[in-house]
Amino acid sequence: MKGRLGTLTALYVTQYLGIGFITVGLTAILRDGGTSLDTLALIQVIGLIWPVKFLWAPLLDRYGSRRHGHYRSWLLVLQSGLVLALLALLPFTRPAEQLGVIVAICAGYVFFSATQDIAVDAIAVRLLADPARGVGNGIQVAASYLGNLLGGGACVVVYDRFGWVPAILMLAVLTALGLLVVWRFREPARTDRVAGTGAAYRALLSVFGQPGCRWWTFGVVPLVYVGAGSAYALVTPALVDAGWSLGRIGVVTGVVTSVPAIVAGLLAGVAIRRFGRSAVLVAGGVALAVATVLLLPLLTGRAPLTGTVVALGLFMAAYTAANVVLYTVNMDYSRPETGGTDFTVLSSFGLICSFLAASVGLAAADRFGYPAVAIGSVVLVALGVLVGLGHQRRFRGPLRPVPVGAGEPVSVPG
């Protein structure tokens, strides 16, 4: 199990290195080169590739090499694509002046990364037994923050001191370590391949036919994500309103608060194994409420450095813990035959909710003010926790067979 978790850790971290670079590091570099905020906002649209990756997830469940490993064969291509996409950025030492090509390469990287995530999630579904799912998803969520820390933080430091080429080479070398892990990985033989492409695509809907899945996906997930996300969407504009420089905002929100998030992700995974999903969901919800209250001075125009950093750190830690629970239950509902499709479609709905949360939070703040939105977000998260507890009490129990889109029975939490 340690070897499996180590493999997943390496793949998840390297997956997010370039994403952290594109969303945080490259944005800072381009802004330093004079790129307008409107243009930077358009670059972030590349991230929309991630929520729609469920459209091609069934292809990864259906097709794969028997000789080289079903999902491993995909990873060999995709992890190589991540490395090559980063190396393709090397000649463009003045990215602000060559933005079109940079954006095209970054879009290719995000596509490779999103597709690699499908394959890694499918492997996790198949390899992780129930007691290890919390730890595995804790690693996944923590890895996203570590990737952002390295790609968005360390990469900018290297760029500032040594230039574009060393920064990109650092990312490429670290990502290549993931390729080495894939080469050494021996995927267990698969004997339950989906019968056909149509059956693989039917899993996009049949996953919701499992007991309690719609309750979880369309009840708990949107309440927690929209509640927490709408509150967090207020942070950056509130910091700007309080007079913080863009540099300080970037360091605090992109680097400093990543550390407690990484720790919280790992601890939440262990806590789920020991105390259960419900206990960690409650702990995360309570911590989110406390952190939001601590953010009220910022949201009313006062932002002392220490108090604000503490509040933001607690908020990110609490949000991460809740996120680990959501991912773990998503994995509970992911069936081995269609693990890539199931986990992807369930997590994609959460991503869509997160994107909507920012718009909802900012629009509501414009009309009602920051504090009112913060209070509303606490109410939504509290409702999400209550609905989640009801779900776990009713559906978290003995395993029983449930039909897959291909017609084969599997065991999922009943």
Side-chain angles (χ1 to χ4, degrees):
M1 183 55 65
K2 289 182 179 180
R4 293 174 177 181
L5 291 175
T7 297
L8 294 174
T9 300
L11 294 176
Y12 280 128
V13 171
T14 57
Q15 170 192 118
Y16 285 105
L17 284 171
I19 298 298
F21 170 69
I22 293 169
T23 58
V24 180
L26 181 61
T27 298
I29 292 170
L30 290 174
R31 182 59 177 167
D32 185 64
T35 303
S36 69
L37 293 177
D38 289 342
T39 301
L40 294 179
L42 290 175
I43 293 176
Q44 301 301 313
V45 174
I46 295 174
L48 291 176
I49 293 173
W50 268 70
V52 300
K53 62 185 177 178
F54 66 88
L55 294 175
W56 58 91
L59 298 177
L60 275 73
D61 284 328
R62 173 65 183 90
Y63 300 101
S65 170
R66 297 184 185 274
R67 179 181 177 185
H68 300 291
H70 184 98
Y71 295 106
R72 178 177 177 270
S73 59
W74 282 99
L75 288 174
L76 288 171
V77 175
L78 296 166
Q79 198 74 25
S80 299
L82 294 177
V83 176
L84 292 175
L86 290 171
L87 293 176
L89 292 172
L90 284 174
F92 306 103
T93 55
R94 296 181 178 179
E97 299 176 8
Q98 300 160 308
L99 200 53
V101 180
I102 294 289
V103 170
I105 295 173
C106 287
Y109 181 95
V110 174
F111 174 78
F112 286 134
S113 179
T115 310
Q116 188 253 28
D117 185 57
I118 298 170
V120 179
D121 288 339
I123 289 175
V125 168
R126 299 180 68 82
L127 293 185
L128 299 181
D130 183 275
R133 287 176 187 161
V135 176
N137 284 284
I139 288 173
Q140 177 177 182
V141 177
S144 68
Y145 289 105
L146 180 57
N148 284 331
L149 184 63
L150 294 174
C155 185
V156 173
V157 173
V158 172
Y159 170 81
D160 189 52
R161 295 194 63 179
F162 304 106
W164 176 262
V165 172
I168 299 301
L169 281 177
M170 180 194 77
L171 291 176
V173 169
L174 291 175
T175 305
L177 294 177
L179 181 58
L180 179 61
V181 170
V182 176
W183 274 108
R184 294 172 59 87
F185 174 57
R186 292 296 174 261
E187 182 182 353
R190 184 176 183 187
T191 59
D192 57 356
R193 186 190 300 266
V194 185
T197 305
Y201 269 94
R202 283 195 293 275
L204 287 171
L205 295 179
S206 67
V207 64
F208 297 111
Q210 300 178 85
C213 189
R214 286 190 290 269
W215 179 340
W216 179 264
T217 305
F218 304 117
V220 181
V221 169
L223 285 171
V224 174
Y225 274 132
V226 174
S230 59
Y232 189 69
L234 308 178
V235 169
T236 297
L239 290 173
V240 172
D241 294 347
W244 280 34
S245 68
L246 292 179
R248 175 185 280 188
I249 293 172
V251 170
V252 170
T253 61
V255 179
V256 175
T257 58
S258 293
V259 176
I262 293 170
V263 175
L266 297 176
L267 292 179
V270 174
I272 286 174
R273 180 170 187 171
R274 182 169 183 180
F275 303 109
R277 291 148 176 77
S278 295
V280 179
L281 181 61
V282 171
V286 171
L288 272 171
V290 172
T292 304
V293 171
L294 292 177
L295 284 173
L296 286 177
L298 165 65
L299 300 179
T300 54
R302 304 183 303 277
L305 179 59
T306 302
T308 302
V309 169
V310 169
L312 286 175
L314 177 60
F315 187 96
M316 292 307 300
Y319 180 64
T320 301
N323 211 17
V324 173
V325 179
L326 298 180
Y327 271 52
T328 301
V329 177
N330 286 348
M331 188 168 287
D332 291 338
Y333 278 116
S334 299
R335 300 159 294 183
E337 292 94 323
T338 53
T341 300
D342 291 354
F343 193 85
T344 297
V345 72
L346 294 174
S347 59
S348 291
F349 183 74
L351 287 174
I352 292 171
C353 290
S354 296
F355 274 108
L356 293 176
S359 298
V360 170
L362 293 174
D366 185 57
R367 183 170 183 179
F368 304 108
Y370 292 152
V373 174
I375 294 171
S377 72
V378 171
V379 172
L380 288 176
V381 170
L383 288 174
V385 170
L386 290 174
V387 175
L389 289 176
H391 173 277
Q392 287 294 288
R393 279 196 298 268
R394 180 170 178 180
F395 295 105
R396 184 69 190 167
L399 300 181
R400 61 189 176 194
V402 175
V404 186
E408 296 294 329
V410 295
S411 293
V412 297

